[in-house]
Amino acid sequence: MSDGPKVAVLFGFGINCDRETAAVFDLAGGVSERVHVNHFVNGDRDLSEFQILAVPGGFSFGDHLGSGRLLGNRMRFAMREQLSAFVAAGKPVIGICNGFQVLVKTGLLPGKEVPDFEQRASLTLNNSGRYEDRWVTLEFDPESPCIWTKGITRIECPVRHGEGRFVMPSSSDLDELDENNQIVTRYVDPSTEPGKGITDETLPFPLCPNGSIRNIAGICDPTGLVFGLMPHPEAAYATFLHPHHTRGEVNEEILGEGMQIFRNAVDYARANL
Amino acid sequence: MSSNIVRVETTPKLGEGMRDVRGDSVKRQLAADHGIEIESVRSIVGFLIASEITSEDVEARADDVFADPIIEESATDQLLLTNEELFSNSPDMIVTIGFKPGVTDNPGKAALDGFRTIFPNAGENARVSTYLTYAFNGVPEGIEVEWLANQLHNGLIEQALFSLNGEDAPKFEYSPINPSDYAAPATIDLEVSDEELIRISEEGLLALNLEEMQTIQAHYRDPSVRQVRASLGLPENAPTDVELECLAQTWSEHCKHKIFAAHIHHIDKETGEDTEIDSLFKTHIMNPTLEMKDEVDWLLSVFHDNSGVIAWDDEWSMCMKAETHNSPSALDPYGGAMTGIVGVNRDILGTGLGARPIANTDVFCFGPPDWEGDLPENLFHPSRVLRGVHAGVRVGGNESGIPTVNGAIVFDDRYIGKPLVYCGTIGIMPRRLADGRESHEKNPQAGDRVYMVGGRVGYDGIHGATFSSLELTEESPSSAVQIGDPITQKKMLDMILEARDTGLITCITDNGAGGLSSSIGEMAEYTNGCRIDLGKVPLKQEGLSSWEILVSESQERMTVAVSESDVEAFESLAALHEVEATWVADFTDTGQFHVVHGEDTVASLPIEFLHDGVPQLRLESEWKKPEHIPFKPPETDSHTSLLMRMLARPNIASKETWVRQYDHEVIAQTAIKPFVGVERDGPGDAGLLAPIHGSTHGLVVSNGISPRYSDIDAGAMAAAAVDEAVRNAVCTGVDLSKVAGLDNFCWPDPIESKKTPDGKFKLAQLVRANRELERICRAYFVPCISGKDSMKNDYGTGENKISIPPTLLFSLFGNHPDVRYTTTSDLKPGESLYLVGESKQELGASELAFMLTESGESDGIGGEVPRLPEPEKNLASYKSLTKAIQSGIVRTAHDCSEGGVAVAIAEMCIGGRCGAAIDIDGPGDADLWGRLWGESLGRILVGVKQENREEFLSQMKGNHLTYMGETTDGDTLSVWDGDDLVIEANVEEMVSAWKGSLDMNGGDQ
């Protein structure tokens, strides 16, 4: 375990999912450390010490002024160089839920080959107007360059957000993302055949829990290294966290289908960094 | 004062893929609550920035801070409503709402933080305040704009401006926080008549009775006290206002639980009993727990800390606390409930050397959401209370990253007078810190520095403790209402847990009721003295008087003691986390609670007098059996339609649309969630957590509450609450050898007086509840390790007085060996169904009796209320059942509570989207109504796969077990009584009835 890639898991200012995010990276073979954002902002720590960066879910700064925006600003202005260098070094970055919102608002997602820290998309209030915690079914683009989702067809995990509707200024922006296979994962109808669930037509609530355009749940940057998604795969790290785990016989296997995303990044870092 | 005030407004862009969801939500809410269809509602968020930065500079960066350029338009120093391109349709009505100066403005705080990221030179006194504008188009005839404004704001904490079409748009202006009116410390002459003493107490909102005032008077007559005071330069023979306020807070019912500590003369007219009780708390709660503590090794800390602590395993301990926040929630449901939840989180953080909150529970009692009767002055409609409380708990819990794993909402007309808002939190801490200290024990030394950490002290929150010890009236003060700030608290929590793990904390407690006066005062008992300097305390506004600083209950503050050698590390950790930590006091061993304000001593009270000086109350209690018209079932045989009506009753109906808005699985540990089953919408009985990632070791959390049984006997009510909490936990397969409980009493004033002529009876109800609590807890071996009471839950006085039904919430947390081996309530195909426990003829105060009495189909709710005559038998069956669950052969179990077997089996069909056929004919004397709808305790419906039947039967041997029937492949629930089919209900129709009645969201899209 101790020779696994080092994972920086940000915390502070209302990030909430830092402990479980750190734990799943450890279970996947990484060596995680929860690092307060200000260690990087103040410069007493440097991102270059790590091979993987995770921005976990939560309510950074209470999501006032728009989810992820204020933490996004801190990173955009105070961690710009470190983030650029991290991405330039080919190191994987993941943003989950609030972390995804942060990465979108820093401009790292959908981003450019070389980060320019310009915001191109947003995540806005769910059409329902409500924060909700419910399980969804996700399907993944097999052609996507995203290194985090290799070999994953479909998983179930919870969404827990009030601002998860992905928007871009025009549909041509979305077409471009689609052509680049940057639309990594979408909400699908669980009654469809695995691998055939993806559709552009927005699914009704609650299949698409927020009214996201084209059912977008997560996207990556053009390199496939930076990945963000609204649902919480870390909350599906164990079989006994699945809402249906009592519906069958007791499953002795502990680790659940949410793990593969984290294993992929750890394996990638092992092989390439 | 900052030199520039700049206005920035933002509004959502409309058009392709863009919409104004905030406006749409208001539109839906008005439709859902009032049936008003408005064509469109648009929203504008306004920021008023007082800083050194000019309007031009702000405008250039507005899209970096205030507006999201992808989805929002912004304008600087211009009202967006005057922009005809964006608002081409002139609105019919406009309402603008902002906080009153001094009220916590969380978006404003966050905006200032973001503003400083861009403008580090904004100025030391920079401040941002926010407002919200709603523009309404197509408002139906007859709606007044003022009425509309009143639906959208609470005048206690917010102000609203409004205008109509053709008038100027309202312009919310920046208002600075004015300094408070400073009053120099005063001396209060207590050498006055008794009437005058009472007047001083009442006018000062001190809530002290005559005997207590006389005790204080006597203290200042003591020559040795006078001698000490002279040496300190204090007035020798009279208290300062600081001292009197400090005593009032410390001696308040809220802090000292005087009724539970009282000497009671109890008479029972039914049995002729005539006894004396020296403290209900000691007799029925503390002593039984201490006796149980001698028998086990896992009760680490009970009663004396902010929450009770149990050893969960060799490495980790767990603690739990539940509290109420009723009075503040009545005045401002949103702020009151939010401060309730973040407040109880701080109790966990303040346990031992600091525990980490990992789960919340919440139980609310409200008036009926569809209430159409009159409302007393100053009270909100129950639907508005529900909305506000729900929003407060949602924001407080979700933003803090603590899952809400279990709870309940109970409805009764009488909670219109005072809603009950119970918030509970569970915490975890390592048994030992790296430096070897046991984390459940505090160990401060004289000489340690005392820091106030987190928020600042303001005028908000003065007199919360004493106010909650008085009944609610039209004149209740607004300073008792606050809004929580979860992010300030979350930063503080992160910082404190890091300080704990690095061994920097010697003692910690939260600032709740009574503020610094209570927090430092309580901790000073460890070292026998402290010296506080009020001049060092950081303030939200200048000009607070000494006593106000000492007793203010401003939120988000912890008091932390740090030894001299760790001061530097502690302060730099606070700086890293951007948390304010200020050295405000020192621990001493002088025996004095010594308070200075700068140069001047403003108070000095002997620690012993402060904590133990309050005289014991002497109270009278008299039990007479209440008389009710007995419940008689109507002449009907349509139990199917009764079932549909029962499923839609607010007390039974699904609360999913509300509860789903709580994050119930952050931290990735919730193995049984509030919703279970095929469509994840069936009811979960108890929460089950696996708090250590990668491990299957579990913790169960459950609640029990049945206030309406108090109408017949509050003793039965208490027994039912304990049994329900235990039953729910049993359904998960809890380890019954390690379960601890929390008692939370909410009572109407039980002290006989002119305004409470039935006080003796209400006290007798309390006596009976305590006796049953003790009896059942002993029988089940569930020690009460922490508790709380709220004893003035009445509205008004005299004839119009509304008193809540005496209510005990029993919360429980217990060990679970392996979270994989558990059950949920949803039926699985191919199961045989069994009833554990016995159905008796107990329909008194049942949900069915209330429903049919309200509708006029029955004359009364009286009769036999559910009781637990032989709890040992229940425990034996619970033990067998939990063992069977832990062996993996039972995957389905659901407890029978409101609505009895009929509702329980219906809920199981709903969760499993599965048919069932059962026969309720069985042993016992109960008739069809009793067996179908009665709420007898100790009963659990269990589903077992047919191949596991034999093993299950052998494991349950010797217990009361009845075979009921089987699941079916169809979509119908059939209930037979021998040869008679008494219920035949379609599963989807039951789903609609159950899920339809409390969905008040007005749609999802």
Side-chain angles (χ1 to χ4, degrees):
Chain A
M1 286 283 271
S2 58
D3 61 344
K6 291 178 73 182
V7 187
V9 178
L10 290 186
F11 87 106
F13 302 120
I15 291 174
N16 288 332
C17 303
D18 43 313
R19 285 172 198 272
E20 62 265 38
T21 305
V24 293
F25 276 107
D26 290 342
L27 289 168
V31 179
S32 71
E33 182 185 346
R34 293 165 56 244
V35 187
H36 195 280
V37 177
N38 272 353
H39 280 303
F40 294 125
V41 169
N42 298 343
D44 53 287
R45 300 291 298 272
D46 197 285
L47 274 179
S48 62
E49 298 169 38
F50 298 91
Q51 281 82 52
I52 296 172
L53 171 66
V55 189
F59 273 87
S60 55
F61 295 97
D63 275 358
H64 299 299
L65 279 68
S67 55
R69 191 167 171 73
L70 293 173
L71 182 57
N73 266 356
R74 285 220 180 188
M75 291 172 64
R76 186 151 69 109
F77 297 114
M79 291 172 61
R80 196 183 179 109
E81 317 279 289
Q82 290 182 63
L83 282 167
S84 295
F86 197 84
V87 176
K91 295 176 176 178
V93 179
I94 191 169
I96 301 170
C97 194
N98 198 228
F100 178 31
Q101 295 161 339
V102 167
L103 294 182
V104 166
K105 290 173 192 191
T106 55
L108 280 172
L109 284 174
K112 289 273 169 200
E113 200 81 36
V114 176
D116 60 1
F117 295 92
E118 205 146 298
Q119 184 182 342
R120 293 186 171 75
S122 197
L123 288 148
T124 184
L125 293 167
N126 297 350
N127 276 347
S128 68
R130 307 196 290 270
Y131 176 104
E132 281 200 337
D133 176 342
R134 61 167 72 244
W135 278 60
V136 293
T137 307
L138 296 179
E139 211 163 285
F140 296 80
D141 176 359
E143 308 294 318
S144 174
C146 184
I147 66 102
W148 293 84
T149 57
K150 295 286 173 216
I152 306 175
T153 305
R154 179 178 278 197
I155 66 167
E156 291 182 302
C157 66
V159 288
R160 310 193 306 253
H161 62 248
E163 300 182 42
R165 192 163 66 95
F166 184 82
V167 290
M168 289 185 87
S170 75
S171 56
S172 61
D173 297 321
L174 291 158
D175 292 341
E176 198 188 316
L177 274 195
D178 203 5
E179 279 157 26
N180 294 340
N181 298 103
Q182 285 175 261
I183 304 180
V184 181
T185 179
R186 310 199 207 192
Y187 306 105
V188 297
D189 182 340
S191 68
T192 56
E193 194 186 319
K196 297 198 171 148
I198 288 179
T199 167
D200 277 349
E201 199 177 320
T202 304
L203 294 168
F205 177 89
L207 295 175
C208 176
N210 46 33
S212 209
I213 296 174
R214 304 190 190 184
N215 308 303
I216 293 176
I219 59 169
C220 68
D221 75 341
T223 69
L225 288 163
V226 185
F227 175 44
L229 76 170
M230 287 311 300
H232 288 271
E234 83 285 4
Y237 90 85
T239 51
F240 53 74
L241 296 177
H242 194 288
H244 288 170
H245 77 98
T246 57
R247 290 199 59 81
E249 298 293 311
V250 171
N251 186 349
E252 291 292 331
E253 174 56 48
I254 290 177
L255 295 182
E257 58 186 8
M259 283 302 298
Q260 193 54 42
I261 287 177
F262 305 96
R263 281 194 203 107
N264 279 343
V266 168
D267 292 348
Y268 178 88
R270 271 215 183 97
N272 297 286
L273 298 172
Chain B
M1 199 47 213
S2 301
S3 41
N4 299 303
I5 291 169
V6 182
R7 178 190 306 269
V8 175
E9 290 197 334
T10 71
T11 191
K13 285 182 183 171
L14 301 178
E16 190 193 341
M18 306 285 178
R19 59 188 280 188
D20 187 337
V21 170
R22 202 183 295 114
D24 293 345
S25 294
V26 167
K27 183 179 141 170
R28 276 203 292 258
Q29 190 178 319
L30 288 166
D33 282 4
H34 306 285
I36 298 165
E37 295 297 338
I38 291 172
E39 213 174 279
S40 85
V41 184
R42 291 181 63 186
S43 69
I44 295 167
V45 180
F47 300 90
L48 293 162
I49 307 125
S51 78
E52 302 301 327
I53 310 301
T54 63
S55 178
E56 293 70 37
D57 289 346
V58 171
E59 184 167 20
R61 303 299 296 274
D63 286 354
D64 274 332
V65 193
F66 299 104
D68 180 332
I70 307 291
I71 52 172
E72 288 170 327
E73 305 282 356
S74 71
T76 304
D77 278 338
Q78 186 204 345
L79 293 180
L80 276 171
L81 278 170
T82 62
N83 181 330
E84 286 181 12
E85 221 174 285
L86 291 175
F87 288 86
S88 47
N89 272 344
S90 178
D92 297 346
M93 293 179 184
I94 301 161
V95 176
T96 292
I97 298 156
F99 291 111
K100 287 182 171 173
V103 175
T104 301
D105 180 347
N106 288 320
K109 270 192 189 178
L112 177 62
D113 202 290
F115 191 72
R116 286 190 193 280
T117 303
I118 311 282
F119 298 106
N121 53 342
E124 205 184 318
N125 297 319
R127 201 175 139 245
V128 179
S129 62
T130 63
Y131 60 86
L132 255 171
T133 297
Y134 295 105
F136 299 87
N137 281 88
V139 181
E141 289 287 313
I143 304 292
E144 299 283 337
V145 67
E146 190 172 353
W147 178 88
L148 204 51
N150 283 338
Q151 304 316 306
L152 296 169
H153 88 292
N154 180 357
L156 210 56
I157 51 164
E158 293 164 319
Q159 68 189 102
L161 306 174
F162 44 84
S163 66
L164 295 167
N165 181 23
E167 297 171 18
D168 282 341
K171 194 170 179 187
F172 206 85
E173 298 292 356
Y174 180 79
S175 42
I177 301 177
N178 294 319
S180 190
D181 291 330
Y182 176 80
T187 304
I188 317 285
D189 183 7
L190 294 187
E191 294 302 332
V192 293
S193 66
D194 288 353
E195 294 76 46
E196 189 62 12
L197 286 177
I198 285 299
R199 195 193 58 77
I200 292 171
S201 172
E202 282 177 359
E203 286 187 4
L205 275 181
L206 301 178
L208 293 169
N209 67 24
L210 179 61
E211 198 188 347
E212 289 156 358
M213 287 299 284
Q214 287 168 334
T215 306
I216 297 171
Q217 183 188 52
H219 173 74
Y220 289 90
R221 288 175 180 165
D222 181 338
S224 62
V225 168
R226 290 186 172 180
Q227 205 179 348
V228 173
R229 298 181 65 76
S231 70
L232 291 166
L234 282 166
E236 286 171 44
N237 50 7
T240 63
D241 55 354
V242 184
E243 289 168 334
L244 196 56
E245 286 286 348
C246 181
L247 285 166
Q249 299 303 318
T250 312
W251 290 9
S252 66
E253 176 57 42
H254 188 100
C255 294
K256 271 282 177 260
H257 311 288
K258 291 182 283 198
I259 293 169
F260 263 82
H263 184 102
I264 294 171
H265 175 218
H266 176 68
I267 293 172
D268 186 330
K269 292 272 184 185
E270 228 181 331
T271 62
E273 181 194 352
D274 185 329
T275 42
E276 307 284 330
I277 304 163
D278 181 14
S279 172
L280 288 171
F281 171 69
K282 279 187 193 153
T283 311
H284 298 296
I285 298 170
M286 191 175 88
N287 289 344
T289 293
L290 292 180
E291 284 171 34
M292 285 186 245
K293 190 167 186 273
D294 288 339
E295 291 180 47
V296 294
D297 60 359
W298 49 267
L299 283 171
L300 296 180
S301 166
V302 291
F303 302 125
H304 69 272
D305 205 338
N306 288 308
S307 71
V309 187
I310 66 167
W312 181 56
D313 62 18
D314 290 342
E315 274 179 74
W316 300 95
S317 54
M318 296 281 180
C319 54
M320 186 173 182
K321 176 65 169 268
E323 282 204 324
T324 52
H325 233 218
N326 308 335
S327 297
S329 301
L331 296 176
D332 175 29
Y334 175 73
M338 198 203 309
T339 48
I341 193 74
V342 295
V344 73
N345 293 163
R346 282 198 307 278
D347 275 318
I348 295 305
L349 187 59
T351 296
L353 295 172
R356 178 165 65 89
I358 56 165
N360 287 333
T361 65
D362 51 55
V363 175
F364 308 142
C365 302
F366 296 135
D370 53 356
W371 177 252
E372 284 176 359
D374 292 336
L375 282 177
E377 284 284 307
N378 216 20
L379 293 181
F380 290 119
H381 189 274
S383 68
R384 189 161 172 186
V385 178
L386 166 61
R387 245 181 229 296
V389 166
H390 170 262
V393 166
R394 183 191 71 218
V395 171
N398 291 2
E399 293 192 7
S400 304
I402 302 166
T404 299
V405 299
N406 190 248
I409 309 180
V410 177
F411 298 99
D412 184 279
D413 296 357
R414 290 160 287 182
Y415 294 119
I416 289 172
K418 187 79 92 73
L420 303 186
V421 176
Y422 290 99
C423 298
T425 303
I426 289 153
I428 187 170
M429 55 185 159
R431 294 278 298 271
R432 277 178 195 283
L433 299 181
D435 58 21
R437 284 182 298 161
E438 289 191 290
S439 62
H440 66 272
E441 284 181 351
K442 302 181 199 288
N443 35 40
Q445 306 290 324
D448 284 356
R449 280 197 196 179
V450 182
Y451 284 82
M452 187 179 98
V453 181
R456 296 181 152 217
V457 170
Y459 185 71
D460 52 350
I462 287 175
H463 277 157
T466 49
F467 159 61
S468 73
S469 306
L470 300 166
E471 75 277 3
L472 205 54
T473 66
E474 289 165 41
E475 289 86 34
S476 296
S478 66
S479 68
V481 173
Q482 297 189 65
I483 293 179
D485 173 2
I487 297 307
T488 294
Q489 178 149 319
K490 172 72 177 165
K491 289 196 289 182
M492 173 176 78
L493 192 139
D494 285 343
M495 178 244 158
I496 282 177
L497 291 176
E498 213 175 320
R500 176 200 71 187
D501 289 339
T502 37
L504 304 178
I505 294 175
T506 66
C507 191
I508 180 168
T509 195
D510 83 306
N511 279 278
L516 289 173
S517 150
S518 294
S519 70
I520 303 182
E522 282 166 21
M523 288 183 4
E525 272 195 291
Y526 285 96
T527 66
N528 196 29
C530 65
R531 183 181 183 279
I532 306 173
D533 185 352
L534 299 175
K536 288 182 178 169
V537 176
L539 304 178
K540 289 182 184 173
Q541 71 240 83
E542 291 307 310
L544 289 178
S545 307
S546 306
W547 71 267
E548 291 174 322
I549 300 173
L550 191 63
V551 306
S552 167
E553 298 170 10
S554 290
Q555 293 286 306
E556 290 87 36
R557 293 180 298 145
M558 299 296 290
T559 298
V560 181
V562 178
S563 89
E564 191 68 39
S565 57
D566 292 327
V567 159
E568 206 177 312
F570 186 78
E571 289 184 0
S572 67
L573 195 59
L576 174 76
H577 286 261
E578 299 180 24
V579 170
E580 196 162 7
T582 315
W583 175 23
V584 297
D586 300 275
F587 282 136
T588 65
D589 51 10
T590 60
Q592 292 286 313
F593 179 81
H594 185 185
V595 186
V596 301
H597 196 160
E599 304 279 293
D600 307 320
T601 289
V602 293
S604 188
L605 291 162
I607 294 277
E608 205 185 338
F609 179 66
L610 182 63
H611 290 296
D612 303 324
V614 60
Q616 190 182 32
L617 285 174
R618 297 189 76 86
L619 301 175
E620 292 293 324
S621 160
E622 187 179 292
W623 171 252
K624 254 193 331 216
K625 197 176 170 184
E627 289 187 7
H628 289 281
I629 300 172
F631 167 70
K632 267 222 295 278
E635 297 283 322
T636 173
D637 50 7
S638 181
H639 289 279
T640 306
S641 72
L642 283 179
L643 175 62
M644 293 303 178
R645 284 167 65 192
M646 285 286 277
L647 288 173
R649 293 277 290 172
N651 276 329
I652 289 170
S654 167
K655 281 89 182 169
E656 181 183 353
T657 54
W658 299 94
V659 176
R660 207 170 267 300
Q661 296 180 52
Y662 305 135
D663 189 336
H664 51 257
E665 48 194 330
V666 59
I667 312 183
Q669 58 178 7
T670 314
I672 301 288
K673 306 175 212 300
F675 306 106
V676 301
V678 174
E679 300 291 331
R680 299 150 189 173
D681 58 1
D685 286 322
L688 176 58
L689 309 178
I692 304 299
H693 297 117
S695 158
T696 59
H697 186 190
L699 186 81
V700 180
V701 187
S702 65
N703 286 289
I705 186 167
S706 39
R708 283 172 157 182
Y709 296 171
S710 286
D711 285 1
I712 294 174
D713 181 1
M717 180 278 294
V722 180
D723 186 61
E724 187 184 11
V726 172
R727 233 159 49 221
N728 280 324
V730 165
C731 288
T732 68
V734 71
D735 165 10
L736 282 166
S737 71
K738 195 188 278 190
V739 171
L742 285 81
D743 55 289
N744 266 264
F745 289 86
C746 283
W747 233 251
D749 188 357
I751 301 180
E752 181 118 325
S753 70
K754 214 188 283 170
K755 52 185 188 186
T756 311
D758 55 351
K760 281 187 196 171
F761 172 71
K762 287 169 174 167
L763 188 61
Q765 289 181 305
L766 188 65
V767 170
R768 291 175 79 86
N770 272 278
R771 287 177 170 179
E772 280 294 274
L773 174 71
E774 176 185 353
R775 186 174 70 89
I776 307 304
C777 284
R778 279 186 189 273
Y780 288 173
F781 203 89
V782 178
C784 294
I785 60 161
S786 174
K788 203 84 185 180
D789 54 90
S790 164
M791 306 303 288
K792 307 275 169 162
N793 293 292
D794 309 273
Y795 174 85
T797 53
E799 269 178 37
N800 299 322
K801 181 166 176 162
I802 308 175
S803 292
I804 64 152
T807 307
L808 169 68
L809 169 69
F810 196 79
S811 310
L812 166 160
F813 67 132
N815 188 44
H816 193 288
D818 186 333
V819 299
R820 291 171 297 181
Y821 293 79
T822 186
T823 78
T824 47
S825 69
D826 49 304
L827 292 177
K828 288 94 188 166
E831 286 182 333
S832 300
L833 304 172
Y834 295 88
L835 180 67
V836 176
E838 201 180 343
S839 299
K840 303 174 202 161
Q841 192 65 18
E842 292 173 323
L843 283 158
S846 64
E847 188 63 27
L848 183 81
F850 270 94
M851 180 175 87
L852 295 177
T853 304
E854 282 164 23
S855 67
E857 291 159 271
S858 166
D859 295 330
I861 56 103
E864 291 302 321
V865 71
R867 292 187 189 274
L868 276 175
E870 295 169 300
E872 330 54 62
K873 278 196 183 169
N874 300 88
L875 181 66
S877 66
Y878 294 164
K879 279 187 170 162
S880 301
L881 180 57
T882 52
K883 289 230 168 67
I885 292 170
Q886 288 163 13
S887 74
I889 59 163
V890 182
R891 300 296 267 167
T892 302
H894 188 32
D895 95 296
C896 296
S897 51
E898 292 91 349
V901 168
V903 166
I905 186 69
E907 289 177 339
M908 295 168 83
C909 291
I910 289 170
R913 290 297 193 278
C914 179
I918 63 168
D919 182 355
I920 57 154
D921 193 11
D925 302 331
D927 67 11
L928 169 63
W929 289 83
R931 277 177 275 127
L932 206 48
W933 304 106
E935 298 175 3
S936 296
L937 303 174
R939 295 179 307 161
I940 294 171
L941 268 170
V942 176
V944 183
K945 282 262 185 275
Q946 273 131 13
E947 62 263 30
N948 293 327
R949 281 172 60 157
E950 270 182 41
E951 196 185 337
F952 175 70
L953 291 175
S954 88
Q955 293 209 34
M956 291 301 293
K957 212 167 180 178
N959 296 297
H960 215 290
L961 187 74
T962 312
Y963 171 70
M964 302 295 281
E966 301 289 325
T967 60
T968 62
D969 294 335
D971 55 2
T972 306
L973 166 65
S974 314
V975 181
W976 298 80
D977 181 25
D979 294 334
D980 302 328
L981 181 61
V982 292
I983 289 178
E984 191 171 29
N986 175 276
V987 173
E988 281 308 320
E989 283 172 28
M990 294 195 295
V991 171
S992 307
W994 189 64
K995 289 179 75 168
S997 66
L998 276 181
D999 180 356
M1000 292 154 61
N1001 287 295
D1004 300 317
Q1005 299 289 324

